[in-house]
Amino acid sequence: MKWRFALRYLISPKSHSVINIIASVSLLSMAVPVAAMVILLSVFNGFEGLVRDLYKAVDADIEIRSTHLLRSDDDALRSRIAECDGVDALSFVVERQAMLCYRDNRTTVQLRGVDADYDKVVPIEEFVSLGDARVEVGDFDRLLVGEGVAYDLGIYSTAAGDVRVMSLGGGAIGSLLPTMAMRSEVLEVCGTFIIDQQHASSFALTSLRAADGLFGCEGTADAVLVRVEEGNSSRRVVEALQQRLGEGYSVISREEKNSAFYAIMRYEKWGVFLVSLLVLLVASLSIIGTVVMLIIEKRDEQTTLRSMGADNALLRGVFVREGLLLSGIGGAIGLVVGIAITLAQQHFGFVKMPNGNFLIENYPVELQALDLVVIFVTFIAVAAAISTVATSIMIKRR
């Protein structure tokens, strides 16, 4: 019955046009912050998804390291990992610091030596901007560098020439002649890639065979990279691998490896949500004015209801629901507008990135159902609290 009275009061004509204006402003004031919250959270989701995709080009789903030596030719270990449920592919890698020299230019990179199965684990070929990603062709070892590395070296095409790769990885370094331990090899540049500025300027790939010679690994590997089968949970596969391999191995997922960064992304997202919530709280105060005006407008109806036995609790319930209806309509409009703008950006890309140096042209957005639920529930809770306080004060005074 309370809802019926509230709905009737909402749609019935008002004797004072100012009440209609106040009600319209209240709807607008609730719709705008709700739409803004939907759009802002979707933008943060889009950037988080973009970063996750970028990390996939460098970090595998799961990384396995050992307190003992990892042998790249350890077929028994390879079988134990491959037979674990949820493992799609695996690759042994070596990763050390190296210096690249081309003519008079030099730069330091993080050089990763990879085996023939690397492309099955990490989709680096999707980010190749020039040439190809094959770092081993028959008996020839090649070098894949980031665009920033190629720029530092002055390499602008794959036909520019070979690069000398130098490393201190092998044997003891003498105090008088440390260069005696330096190893070098000349490698052909097979292509360049672009992931982000950090990796494009400091990361390079070569074959595991070339890295073995450069770093003096003697058949050992630094880590085993694992790709998880589609539809499987990385966390579950991590637990299964840890149990299967034992205490001598450290098994971490990509999210765990970059946990600090992902935590910062989440904190920023919900920090923006809290700021938007403050705006929503301020906007919700307009509901107080609307409800107060409606209580004054309907004072004759209140007198009639009291004569029929209605008490303060019934009257408060009616006007609380009146405030909820106003807020609900405004919030629903805001949700529809926010979702429409987000979907339009997602499919048509109306808003472009500010410059042409980024990896994508359009602002990334991604709608998540959980965000919409949180926004709507929070919004209704705020509206209910505001309406209850305003109605309780006014009805009590009368």
Side-chain angles (χ1 to χ4, degrees):
M1 184 172 64
K2 295 177 181 179
W3 284 107
R4 292 178 62 185
F5 276 113
L7 181 62
R8 180 179 177 183
Y9 286 167
L10 179 66
I11 62 178
S12 62
K14 314 295 190 297
S15 60
H16 302 285
S17 60
V18 68
I19 299 180
N20 294 320
I21 296 175
I22 293 175
S24 300
V25 171
S26 298
L27 290 178
L28 183 63
S29 66
M30 299 301 285
V32 170
V34 170
M37 291 171 78
V38 173
I39 295 170
L40 287 173
L41 293 187
S42 297
V43 169
F44 269 91
N45 294 336
F47 275 107
E48 184 176 356
L50 174 64
V51 170
R52 289 181 185 274
D53 290 339
L54 293 180
Y55 272 127
K56 288 180 181 179
V58 179
D59 297 326
D61 295 334
I62 296 174
E63 182 176 304
I64 302 173
R65 292 184 178 268
S66 174
T67 56
H68 310 291
L69 290 178
L70 278 173
R71 299 288 306 178
S72 57
D73 57 356
D74 190 343
D75 293 334
L77 176 61
R78 183 183 294 270
S79 297
R80 289 169 63 190
I81 298 174
E83 292 171 0
C84 185
D85 186 32
V87 172
D88 186 34
L90 61 99
S91 173
F92 286 81
V93 300
V94 172
E95 188 167 334
R96 310 283 172 84
Q97 289 284 327
M99 178 179 290
L100 306 185
C101 304
Y102 179 73
R103 296 177 180 173
D104 295 330
N105 302 318
R106 293 175 175 81
T107 188
T108 302
V109 298
Q110 192 76 11
L111 183 63
R112 176 179 290 181
V114 302
D115 62 16
D117 294 326
Y118 183 75
D119 61 341
K120 301 177 183 177
V121 178
V122 178
I124 187 65
E125 66 277 357
E126 297 178 8
F127 297 86
V128 172
S129 56
L130 179 67
D132 63 77
R134 294 178 299 167
V135 294
E136 183 177 352
V137 180
D139 295 331
F140 294 96
D141 300 313
R142 307 199 296 177
L143 188 67
L144 179 68
V145 300
E147 283 192 353
V149 175
Y151 178 81
D152 292 339
L153 293 175
I155 298 174
Y156 303 106
S157 72
T158 55
D162 296 336
V163 172
R164 180 169 293 277
V165 184
M166 295 187 294
S167 170
L168 293 176
I173 300 177
S175 58
L176 295 178
L177 294 173
T179 56
M180 294 292 291
M182 181 175 291
R183 299 170 181 238
S184 68
E185 189 168 343
V186 176
L187 298 175
E188 173 193 1
V189 175
C190 63
T192 62
F193 63 86
I194 177 68
I195 301 174
D196 57 17
Q197 185 175 4
Q198 176 185 354
H199 290 99
S201 303
S202 62
F203 193 67
L205 294 174
T206 189
S207 67
L208 188 61
R209 179 176 56 198
D212 192 23
L214 281 167
F215 301 128
C217 298
E218 299 179 352
T220 62
D222 291 334
V224 182
L225 305 183
V226 176
R227 178 177 179 176
V228 176
E229 287 182 347
E230 194 74 25
N232 282 272
S233 168
S234 294
R235 180 177 300 178
R236 186 186 64 80
V237 178
V238 165
E239 295 174 354
L241 282 170
Q242 189 67 72
Q243 184 177 3
R244 189 180 186 88
L245 297 177
E247 297 181 355
Y249 294 88
S250 171
V251 185
I252 59 173
S253 65
R254 180 171 49 244
E255 287 74 18
E256 292 171 331
K257 184 178 180 180
N258 303 290
S259 58
F261 180 81
Y262 288 128
I264 291 173
M265 289 285 290
R266 287 192 294 269
Y267 293 152
E268 288 180 345
K269 173 182 175 180
W270 294 112
V272 169
F273 173 79
L274 291 176
V275 172
S276 302
L277 181 58
L278 291 177
V279 177
L280 181 62
L281 285 171
V282 174
S284 299
L285 297 179
S286 63
I287 296 296
I288 293 179
T290 304
V291 172
V292 168
M293 294 298 292
L294 284 172
I295 291 174
I296 296 174
E297 166 77 14
K298 301 300 180 181
R299 57 183 180 272
D300 294 336
E301 286 84 347
Q302 293 178 51
T303 302
T304 302
L305 290 174
R306 288 180 187 277
S307 65
M308 297 175 62
D311 55 8
N312 286 343
L314 175 63
L315 296 177
R316 283 196 294 267
V318 170
F319 288 104
V320 166
R321 285 158 178 77
E322 186 81 11
L324 287 175
L325 283 173
L326 284 169
S327 303
I329 294 173
I333 294 173
L335 282 175
V336 171
V337 171
I339 292 172
I341 293 175
T342 301
L343 291 177
Q345 174 64 18
Q346 184 173 332
H347 292 285
F348 303 106
F350 295 116
V351 182
K352 307 295 183 181
M353 297 298 292
N355 58 67
N357 296 325
F358 206 70
L359 296 175
I360 57 175
E361 296 181 0
N362 309 320
Y363 263 98
V365 292
E366 179 185 340
L367 276 175
Q368 292 185 2
L370 179 60
D371 291 345
L372 300 180
V373 172
V374 170
I375 291 172
F376 191 76
V377 170
T378 303
F379 160 75
I380 291 299
V382 169
I386 293 292
S387 300
T388 301
V389 171
T391 304
S392 298
I393 293 174
M394 291 301 297
I395 297 296
K396 185 177 180 180
R397 286 180 177 177
R398 297 184 63 86

